[in-house]
Amino acid sequence: MAETELERAEKRYAQAKARLQALKNREATRQRKLDTRRKVILGGALLDLAERDSGAAAMLDRLVRNLAREQDRKAFADWEGTSPDNTGTPAQSNEEEQPNG
């Protein structure tokens, strides 16, 4: 039995609709990846700044303490800048300038 013109048009429409949805899905995936990349880059920059700047360390400490989810706060449990007795200054590393004596 031969396809009618209407059936062929419906088939083409369904294929075009599927291609459009695939394109939308790819674009959404691309945007999510870009968003994640931006967050990782900014997070790394903030952590780096917090190691060098006490104001940034204090701000980051406040941000971590105010995270809504406990599991998110736990991700920072071993980070030096968020210890409970933290005064907002980053921990001094052994590589930093030490007094000669």
Side-chain angles (χ1 to χ4, degrees), residues 44-57 90-91 96:
L46 179 58
L47 290 172
D48 183 56
L49 179 63
E51 290 177 3
R52 296 179 280 116
D53 181 281
S54 62
E96 289 184 21

Side-chain angles (χ1 to χ4, degrees), residues 84-99:
D85 60 341
N86 185 0
T87 60
T89 58
Q92 188 176 27
S93 73
N94 291 336
E95 295 177 10
E96 289 184 21
E97 201 172 306
Q98 299 293 322

Side-chain angles (χ1 to χ4, degrees), residues 54-55 57-59 61-62 65 80-91:
S54 62
M59 179 194 60
D61 190 50
R62 283 191 308 272
R65 283 195 320 263
E80 297 131 16
T82 58
S83 61
D85 60 341
N86 185 0
T87 60
T89 58

Side-chain angles (χ1 to χ4, degrees), residues 9 18 34 40 44 48 58 69 84 87:
L34 181 59
V40 168
D48 183 56
R69 297 180 346 156
T87 60

Side-chain angles (χ1 to χ4, degrees), residues 16-94:
K17 192 173 177 181
R19 283 192 307 272
L20 177 61
Q21 189 59 49
L23 285 169
K24 286 181 178 182
N25 291 343
R26 280 196 297 274
E27 179 61 18
T29 298
R30 190 186 72 76
Q31 287 296 326
R32 280 192 308 277
K33 285 181 180 182
L34 181 59
D35 184 55
T36 299
R37 183 169 189 262
R38 288 173 177 159
K39 289 174 183 176
V40 168
I41 291 168
L42 284 176
L46 179 58
L47 290 172
D48 183 56
L49 179 63
E51 290 177 3
R52 296 179 280 116
D53 181 281
S54 62
M59 179 194 60
L60 186 58
D61 190 50
R62 283 191 308 272
L63 288 171
V64 170
R65 283 195 320 263
N66 289 306
L67 289 171
R69 297 180 346 156
E70 179 65 26
Q71 67 190 46
D72 292 342
R73 287 189 300 275
K74 285 181 181 179
F76 291 91
D78 63 343
W79 183 64
E80 297 131 16
T82 58
S83 61
D85 60 341
N86 185 0
T87 60
T89 58
Q92 188 176 27
S93 73
N94 291 336

